[in-house]
Amino acid sequence: MSGPVLVIELAEAVPRAAIQGLRDLLVRASARFEEKRIGEYDLNIHAESLGISDTGGVDGRRPVLVSVMGPGIGDESVFEAEHADEVDQEPLIGFTPTHAVDVVAFCNRPVDHVVTALLTAAVMDVVGGVVNAELREDQVPMVAGLPGVIATMTDPWPAAYGSAEFLRAWAQQPGFRLLM
């Protein structure tokens, strides 16, 4: 079963020092850590390492993939495919993404949505960038007023762009849920 996905949009390649910092963060936060390539990590994140105490009765080790991609790192064709149908993001976030980091949960329990948001925020603390979060139409008004929101849009689909602060604030909202 697949779970929620968040994309961190980046204006440039992730520097080597930031990739090492990302790796270090993920090793510390993981029960299982596998480096598939530099910048791509298959892991089981300890939910409690992100400050999550309520796992809804499921194991707190949640399976996640974190993948840095774009020219010179990862599968460039995946980056291009993911961005092929995007609107012009420069007016929304101030730059056209050249690289991205995907945070992909492999399960779809409520805890997986919170883990994905808080892990993405922690990754942003290391690599920077702006999160691109697709929304349900009814979520747009609620997220628009949260701290750290840079922009929202409804056409061609609902989405919010924001900072790590935005993700942390959103994850605290009652009924929080990401799209898959």
Side-chain angles (χ1 to χ4, degrees):
M1 175 183 261
S2 66
V5 175
L6 285 171
V7 177
I8 303 167
E9 305 290 7
L10 301 168
E12 60 189 16
V14 180
R16 273 194 186 276
I19 288 184
Q20 184 58 48
L22 173 60
R23 186 183 190 286
D24 294 346
L25 164 77
L26 297 175
V27 166
R28 284 191 311 273
S30 298
R32 182 185 63 78
F33 176 89
E34 179 186 343
E35 187 170 24
K36 295 178 160 242
R37 63 162 170 80
I38 294 174
E40 184 165 294
Y41 311 100
D42 186 1
L43 37 105
N44 284 348
I45 288 290
H46 284 291
E48 53 277 359
S49 73
L50 300 169
I52 302 166
S53 56
D54 181 8
T55 63
V58 299
D59 189 331
R61 297 170 295 179
R62 309 310 299 161
V64 178
L65 177 73
V66 175
S67 182
V68 180
M69 66 183 80
I73 187 163
D75 188 341
E76 290 180 43
S77 63
V78 171
F79 174 83
E80 290 169 7
E82 285 184 353
H83 289 79
D85 63 347
E86 287 292 332
V87 298
D88 180 9
Q89 293 175 323
E90 188 166 359
L92 296 167
I93 61 175
F95 63 89
T96 298
T98 64
H99 291 74
V101 180
D102 284 359
V103 179
V104 181
F106 290 122
C107 294
N108 192 27
R109 303 277 191 147
V111 69
D112 297 301
H113 292 256
V114 177
V115 164
T116 302
L118 297 182
L119 178 59
T120 301
V123 170
M124 291 173 73
D125 290 341
V126 175
V127 303
V130 173
V131 71
N132 176 349
E134 291 188 24
L135 305 172
R136 291 188 325 258
E137 193 134 339
D138 65 318
Q139 291 175 312
V140 175
M142 187 272 299
V143 302
L146 293 174
V149 171
I150 295 168
T152 60
M153 65 179 207
T154 56
D155 186 42
W157 54 82
Y161 294 91
S163 66
E165 177 187 28
F166 158 65
L167 286 176
R168 290 183 178 107
W170 188 22
Q172 297 296 317
Q173 299 301 308
F176 167 73
R177 193 130 173 114
L178 297 167
L179 282 188
M180 298 186 341

